[in-house]
Amino acid sequence: MFLGVDVGTGGTRAILIDRNGKVIASSSAEHKPIHSEHIGWAEQDPNDWWRAAREAIAGAMAESELAGSEIEAIGLTGQMHGCVMLDANGEVLRPALIWCDQRTQPQCDWLTEKIGFERLIELTANPALPNFTLTKLLWVRDHQPEIFARIAHVLCPKDYVRYRLTGELAMDMQEASGTLLLDVAHRRWSAEVAEAAGIPLQWLPRLFEGPEICAHISDAGAAATGLATGTPVAAGAGDQGAGAVGMGILAPGSVSATIGTSGVVFAATDTPTKDRLGRLHTFCHAAPNRWHVMGVTNGAGLSLRYFRDTFAAASSYDTLSALAANVPAASDGLLWAPYLFGERTPHLDPNARAAFVGITASHTQAHFVRAVLEGVAMSLRDTFTLFQELHIPVESIRLGGGGARGPLWRQIQADVYGQPVELLEAEEGGAFGAALLAGTGVNAWPSVEAACASTIRIAQTIAPQNAAAMNEAYRQYRKVYPALRSLAD
């Protein structure tokens, strides 16, 4: 049995799988809501992640009726980019600035000017963006110097949970790629970037490949969770890397489109493929000797949640989706630009703002819901447009996250992307991929590729039905961001 733990944005999920990839048990625990003191700010308490992880692990073990000693290995995944700052005693210094926090554009500008845009991409394969861990550290340096002076260790969210489980400070290559401190091409910390930014290399944890065993459950971790002392813990990966493993996205040409709180289009590559304009992220993959490119939409599933919570609080997602299914493709001209937390791909604009465009008196609540679903898919199509520009092959598209669970959103994605999409027999997200990495780490499978081949099966292929209508809608959608941007000038 292998345990995968996913420290997400909304909550932590733990699953237990066997060597056939069958999910034996799963359990989730919600996190406290994101704290947003000002527009564009987003913080969470790392100790709340640890609380939720304990509850989720205990819940999965109780459901399975397994003893801790029956779990062979553990893998971790979670939301990327969050900045956890610890003092010399391992205590959290302040709430973590998480992935969707947009306050750090001045620090991005400072770092880009200091290192140079082209040199930064050469060194890290990515531009300076507010989402990345390093720019959050620089914000603390500029605004809370008394806290910055006490930093001894910097971790990302799932790595903090590992620290509490094992007492070890570690990070995987894929997660580290999202800090803006990694030399992605050579899979090592970038001494040049760290020195330019004024970040001591000793603050950064040891690096491991995703399936490597990097720690073991400590006595304290065992007492807190019911796991057995000494259980091996694999390095794992950030949510996108682990999710890609869990969907079998390892070879060039294989692509996933995952809609969670954010939305990600992810393509595996054999070499680090850099976009000189920085519109795509180029990261190390969770599998050794592989890389990936991905485009990110900040407000994907978040868009639907925002709409429901704000305008239809009494309705379930299923109810809203059923209403939207009665509206024709392209929502009778209504468009949604999903820039609730700025936007990454392709605009790199933390100040981008969301909007409904083309409202008429004939549009109903159902039109607005469908427009949200279509707008999120069109924002992800922007990444496919960049893949085409950069000659990144797209041979198959597998759907993941909440966008794969409802038939309407699945069909909308096939229509918007203009090619068939695949649904897996059991799409269990990042926690499943983390469990596969853990099993690979203890030689249950000889490689990550072998783990995927043994456990991942396609259940359904969905062909486009309304590609022509969505092509025209996408053409109109592409005009929306420049128009919105002009209003801010």
Side-chain angles (χ1 to χ4, degrees):
M1 299 293 172
F2 309 110
L3 175 66
V5 180
D6 183 357
V7 184
T9 305
T12 291
R13 182 168 185 249
I15 69 169
L16 282 161
I17 69 168
D18 64 17
R19 292 181 183 228
N20 295 316
K22 180 181 178 182
V23 177
I24 304 303
S26 66
S27 180
S28 299
E30 289 191 359
H31 296 159
K32 293 179 181 176
I34 295 171
H35 179 64
S36 184
E37 185 177 349
H38 302 286
I39 292 174
W41 289 28
E43 298 183 356
Q44 289 183 314
D45 178 6
N47 289 304
D48 189 55
W49 301 330
W50 172 232
R51 184 268 311 160
R54 296 197 309 271
E55 293 179 9
I57 292 169
M61 292 177 64
E63 181 182 323
S64 69
E65 299 183 348
L66 291 172
S69 59
E70 295 178 88
I71 297 171
E72 295 180 64
I74 299 160
L76 291 157
T77 184
Q79 54 167 301
M80 295 182 67
H81 312 303
C83 185
V84 182
M85 292 155 275
L86 307 180
D87 66 15
N89 297 318
E91 297 296 323
V92 174
L93 287 168
R94 72 175 316 283
L97 283 70
I98 65 169
W99 61 273
C100 54
D101 192 289
Q102 296 293 308
R103 78 184 74 173
T104 67
Q105 189 60 49
Q107 288 70 38
C108 295
D109 296 340
W110 175 86
L111 189 67
T112 302
E113 183 176 352
K114 187 171 181 65
I115 296 176
F117 184 88
E118 292 181 356
R119 181 61 176 162
L120 193 55
I121 290 181
E122 183 181 340
L123 291 168
T124 71
N126 296 282
L129 298 177
N131 309 85
F132 289 153
T133 315
L134 174 55
T135 63
K136 295 169 170 47
L137 273 175
L138 296 178
W139 185 91
V140 174
R141 177 201 66 184
D142 294 344
H143 295 273
Q144 298 175 337
E146 71 286 356
I147 291 175
F148 189 82
R150 295 174 58 199
I151 296 174
H153 308 289
V154 177
L155 296 172
C156 289
K158 64 106 170 51
D159 303 311
Y160 177 72
V161 170
R162 177 182 14 253
Y163 172 66
R164 296 299 300 268
L165 284 169
T166 68
E168 296 292 333
L169 300 162
M171 189 179 294
D172 65 278
M173 297 292 180
Q174 197 269 340
E175 180 85 67
S177 302
T179 65
L180 204 65
L181 285 160
L182 191 77
D183 178 344
V184 169
H186 298 98
R187 304 174 93 95
R188 65 193 180 200
W189 292 122
S190 172
E192 182 175 334
V193 172
E195 181 179 2
I199 304 300
L201 282 174
Q202 59 265 32
W203 286 6
L204 306 178
R206 290 178 61 199
L207 290 169
F208 297 85
E209 295 292 349
E212 276 191 273
I213 301 302
C214 65
H216 296 80
I217 297 297
S218 65
D219 290 341
T225 61
L227 297 167
T229 299
T231 304
V233 179
D239 53 0
Q240 299 307 322
V245 169
M247 297 173 72
I249 309 300
L250 293 171
S254 61
V255 177
S256 63
T258 303
I259 296 176
T261 304
S262 63
V264 175
V265 177
F266 181 114
T269 62
D270 281 336
T271 57
T273 303
K274 301 175 183 178
D275 174 20
R276 63 183 182 82
L277 299 179
R279 296 163 297 178
L280 295 172
H281 299 331
T282 299
F283 288 175
C284 300
H285 207 314
N289 302 313
R290 291 196 184 276
W291 287 260
H292 70 83
V293 291
M294 67 181 190
V296 182
T297 292
N298 284 339
L302 177 67
S303 288
L304 186 58
R305 179 170 182 173
Y306 169 81
F307 180 87
R308 185 201 66 177
D309 292 352
T310 307
F311 302 111
S315 298
S316 68
Y317 292 126
D318 287 343
T319 298
L320 293 175
S321 183
L323 287 173
N326 296 317
V327 173
S331 302
D332 288 326
L334 184 62
L335 296 169
W336 166 248
Y339 310 137
L340 291 167
F341 266 111
E343 189 55 297
R344 282 199 259 182
T345 307
H347 305 305
L348 304 180
D349 184 359
N351 298 313
R353 293 291 177 259
F356 284 106
V357 176
I359 302 170
T360 71
S362 62
H363 286 132
T364 65
Q365 184 186 59
H367 284 86
F368 282 87
V369 176
R370 185 170 187 120
V372 167
L373 302 180
E374 292 177 344
V376 169
M378 286 190 278
S379 72
L380 293 179
R381 179 168 166 176
D382 281 341
T383 293
F384 286 103
T385 301
L386 294 181
F387 284 178
Q388 187 174 22
E389 178 185 325
L390 297 171
H391 307 293
I392 295 166
V394 179
E395 296 171 7
S396 64
I397 302 172
R398 292 181 177 175
L399 301 185
R405 297 190 185 115
L408 178 60
W409 220 346
R410 294 197 295 258
Q411 186 63 58
I412 284 172
Q413 288 185 82
D415 294 341
V416 170
Y417 307 152
Q419 68 183 83
V421 296
E422 297 172 347
L423 193 65
L424 298 180
E425 197 172 277
E427 197 281 298
E428 294 289 345
F432 186 82
L436 294 183
L437 292 171
T440 305
V442 294
N443 300 314
W445 301 284
S447 66
V448 180
E449 289 82 357
C452 293
S454 297
T455 59
I456 296 168
R457 292 166 285 275
I458 297 170
Q460 183 183 2
T461 300
I462 301 155
Q465 295 178 354
N466 301 289
M470 294 316 302
N471 267 331
E472 175 57 24
Y474 181 66
R475 190 178 71 82
Q476 298 297 326
Y477 172 86
R478 296 271 288 181
K479 300 175 183 178
V480 173
Y481 171 76
L484 294 173
R485 188 76 187 98
S486 70
L487 295 176
D489 292 339

